[in-house]
Amino acid sequence: MIYSKIVGTGSFLPPRIMPNSEFEASLDTSDAWIRERTGIAQRHIADESQTSSDLALEASRLALQSAGLQAADIDLIIVATSTPDFVFPSTACLLQAKLGAPGCAAFDVQAVCSGFVYALATADAFIRGGTSRRALVVGAEVFSRILDWNDRSTCVLFGDGAGAVVLAASDTPGVHASVLHADGRHAGILSVPGNVCKGRIVGSPYLQMAGNLVFKQAVKVLDEVARETVEKAGMTLADVDWLIPHQANIRILEATAKRLGIPEERLVATVDHHGNTSAASVPLALDEFVRAGRIKAGQRVLMQGVGGGFTWGAALVTM
Ligand code: UT7
């Protein structure tokens, strides 16, 4: 039996930190409101020259380094992003070129804030099926580019960054189970409803969200998919050492942990200093806790995504 296992993690945040106070000059908002309603204190913002593939490159280099591997050892690159460098080619192809490792399969996954979990589940299936041996799985976003900076209900929530893991074939799991879901009937509650047509952007290039609908839906599906995933793995929630929900809002994270009966000390929360980095949020949080020595080899981590589409999913992994 072939399994897949995370053998390296890495992440990268653009150096510019934007504290909540920076919004106060131009918007009718406050540091106190943002902290109280979201748990966010600051986010990182890419400079104009930095794209998702640039952030992905830094995170990938660190993930490869921690795995003790070279880019040439990788036979599959999947980048989860909703803020690709271009309409095409994929950000994964651009990342592959920047890594200097031509030849392997490379493609993007577009599942918004569930993107990393979708990409991880896809890479796991490639490895378990024998198509790949070593995959680089990346979540990379520059959401600052798709925000309406005059809309206080959305622009205060998001940030930029990238996280990456190297997933390798293994005799032991690794990824015990992953579960993916989508319900396109709710496409309208979180979207960037624009496209390129005849050389022009048609529709809106900015993120739009019915925040409270997304909030309610997120808490519901994160609860359901956690239970479904541990059951699929033949385990219980008591077997989970760490819960890493998508880092959207501290109230969503805490409500999810509470419903699942997972104590606060086993909840990974980085939303306070990263904001919501969409597909990057779970691998960023994972890498931070691995590098801090908090998530250790042998521990079980339940990673969860939820976001636009509407999409959601989870993966239960032994590190
Ligand atoms: O990655 C997945 C995508 N995103 C999410 O998961 C986000 C999910 N949603 C949320 O996190 C929350 O719904 C928000 C943080 C977006 C909003 O929090 P809320 O507690 O649901 O507030 P609300 O939308 O019910 O708005 C309450 C009030 C409104 O004013 P009125 O209508 O009561 O006068 C808003 O206009 O708060 C106002 N408001 C703000 N006030 C100050 C909204 N944004 C702000 C702001 N500063 N930045």
Side-chain angles (χ1 to χ4, degrees), residues 28-29 33 37-38 113 152-153 156-157 190 209 211-212 214-215 246 248-249 251-252 276 306:
D28 181 14
T29 190
W33 190 97
R37 301 300 263 261
T38 72
C113 303
R152 67 177 183 174
S153 69
V156 302
L157 303 174
L190 176 51
M209 177 169 67
N212 45 7
V214 173
F215 190 109
H246 166 51
N249 181 325
R251 289 157 54 213
I252 295 177
N276 179 347
V306 60

Side-chain angles (χ1 to χ4, degrees), residues 60-75:
S60 299
R61 280 184 175 144
L62 290 168
L64 286 165
Q65 198 180 68
S66 80
L69 295 171
Q70 309 290 320
D73 299 322
I74 296 298
D75 57 17

Side-chain angles (χ1 to χ4, degrees), residues 133-260:
R133 296 285 299 171
R134 293 193 190 108
L136 180 62
V137 184
V138 188
E141 301 282 15
V142 283
F143 256 52
S144 59
R145 308 272 160 80
I146 55 166
L147 298 175
D148 176 353
W149 289 90
N150 295 311
D151 177 6
R152 67 177 183 174
S153 69
T154 54
C155 72
V156 302
L157 303 174
F158 295 91
D160 301 335
V165 302
V166 177
L167 200 65
S170 161
D171 296 334
T172 55
V175 179
H176 296 278
S178 51
V179 171
L180 303 177
H181 289 292
D183 186 346
R185 291 174 302 175
H186 301 301
I189 65 174
L190 176 51
S191 65
V192 179
N195 61 36
V196 181
C197 182
K198 296 182 179 167
R200 291 197 185 150
I201 294 169
V202 178
S204 169
Y206 297 123
L207 183 147
Q208 301 176 2
M209 177 169 67
N212 45 7
L213 293 182
V214 173
F215 190 109
K216 282 185 202 145
Q217 189 73 5
V219 173
K220 177 177 172 286
V221 300
L222 289 174
D223 176 81
E224 289 169 1
V225 79
R227 295 177 193 280
E228 192 182 351
T229 308
V230 292
E231 192 182 325
K232 190 175 171 190
M235 297 188 201
T236 70
L237 288 163
D239 295 315
V240 175
D241 294 303
W242 293 99
L243 179 69
I244 312 184
H246 166 51
Q247 306 287 309
N249 181 325
I250 194 66
R251 289 157 54 213
I252 295 177
L253 274 69
E254 288 176 353
T256 301
K258 193 171 170 200
R259 285 169 73 133
L260 295 171

Side-chain angles (χ1 to χ4, degrees), residues 18-138:
M18 182 177 184
N20 292 342
S21 54
E22 276 193 41
F23 290 103
E24 290 173 347
S26 55
L27 290 176
D28 181 14
T29 190
S30 66
D31 176 46
W33 190 97
I34 300 168
R35 281 178 196 261
E36 190 194 319
R37 301 300 263 261
T38 72
I40 298 167
Q42 61 170 54
R43 71 287 294 140
H44 289 249
I45 302 291
D47 76 35
E48 274 179 27
S49 69
Q50 288 173 309
T51 63
S52 286
S53 69
D54 293 324
L55 308 188
L57 176 65
E58 301 301 332
S60 299
R61 280 184 175 144
L62 290 168
L64 286 165
Q65 198 180 68
S66 80
L69 295 171
Q70 309 290 320
D73 299 322
I74 296 298
D75 57 17
L76 171 66
I77 299 174
I78 307 181
V79 175
T81 187
S82 298
T83 47
D85 295 20
F86 305 120
V87 173
F88 68 80
S90 69
T91 302
C93 285
L94 302 174
L95 171 63
Q96 187 207 53
K98 287 178 182 179
L99 284 166
C104 73
F107 59 88
D108 287 1
V109 160
Q110 216 280 40
V112 201
C113 303
S114 309
F116 180 75
V117 172
Y118 264 69
L120 188 71
T122 304
D124 173 56
F126 270 66
I127 290 174
R128 277 190 292 106
T131 306
S132 299
R133 296 285 299 171
R134 293 193 190 108
L136 180 62
V137 184
V138 188

